[in-house]
Amino acid sequence: MKIICIGLNYVAHIEEMKNNVPDEPVFFMKPDTALLRNNDPFYIPNWTESVHHEIELVLKISRIGKNIERKFAHRYYDEIGLGVDFTARDIQAKLKAKGLPWEKAKAFDKAAVLSNTFVPKLEFKDLKSINFNLNINGKTVQKGNSGFMIFNFDAIIENVSKYVTLKIGDLIYTGTPAGVGAVKIGDHLEGFLENKKMFDFEVK
Ligand code: ZN
């Protein structure tokens, strides 16, 4: 199982990061050791001063595929979950400045929070308008809607599968909306997908 993450997929987030809008999807990967499930606490690693939360819709791949055409992409995922792409922002900034890969900032242990439950695609009224949000200590800090993605689910699958074979159980984190920020010890994070609570855990 592999975890593929899309970067820079919401304009407002690109603006807050002072990046340029990409002309094709940007992706990176996390290993399976990055998963954090069951509402287990997240421990801030001792080598970073700034771990940011990035709330993201997560696709679960249901069929093996390579070079998938956009018009068939919808057949390759049948459930949507919610996750947090934890990012050591200080480390990422240093790596970015040197043009180096981001893995130390993105792929570390427990950096991929994932909801235990996934919602079948058919339960959504419109895949192009899925609401989700992240609350910290009871306050909404990030609010997203899939309609604001630059590359929608099918465009992502088409592009990623050009380079990487998708297999059953693979996860695609589809990018974060604006409002990213640092978490601190004692924070209580809750993720909602269309008002359904998907995860609830603490930062330690
Ligand atoms: Zn992300």
Side-chain angles (χ1 to χ4, degrees), residues 96-152:
K96 265 188 180 173
K98 292 184 190 161
L100 293 171
W102 298 356
E103 269 79 355
K104 287 178 181 171
K106 289 281 198 181
F108 60 90
D109 287 356
K110 312 299 180 193
V113 177
L114 184 65
S115 55
N116 274 348
T117 54
F118 276 70
V119 177
K121 218 166 57 175
L122 297 170
E123 284 185 21
F124 294 97
K125 274 192 286 247
D126 181 3
L127 291 181
K128 292 188 171 71
S129 183
I130 299 174
N131 293 297
F132 59 103
N133 62 283
L134 175 68
N135 288 6
I136 300 187
N137 305 326
K139 188 171 159 273
T140 300
V141 293
Q142 284 192 274
K143 208 169 157 45
N145 180 287
S146 60
F148 291 102
M149 295 193 302
I150 297 168
F151 302 104
N152 66 22

Side-chain angles (χ1 to χ4, degrees), residues 6 28 54 56 85 106 176:
I6 306 301
F28 55 90
E54 297 190 354
E56 310 198 1
D85 164 19
K106 289 281 198 181
T176 194

Side-chain angles (χ1 to χ4, degrees), residues 12 35 39-40 46 58 87 89 94 96 144 147 152 157-158 161 171-173 190 200 204:
L35 279 179
N39 293 325
D40 286 346
N46 61 9
V58 180
T87 304
R89 197 69 77 197
K94 283 183 200 157
K96 265 188 180 173
N152 66 22
I157 285 177
E158 177 184 59
S161 72
L171 300 169
I172 302 182
Y173 283 60
E190 296 167 290
D200 181 332
K204 292 194 171 176

Side-chain angles (χ1 to χ4, degrees), residues 79-97:
E79 292 182 307
I80 295 170
L82 193 66
V84 177
D85 164 19
F86 273 131
T87 304
R89 197 69 77 197
D90 50 346
I91 307 295
Q92 187 195 29
K94 283 183 200 157
L95 294 169
K96 265 188 180 173

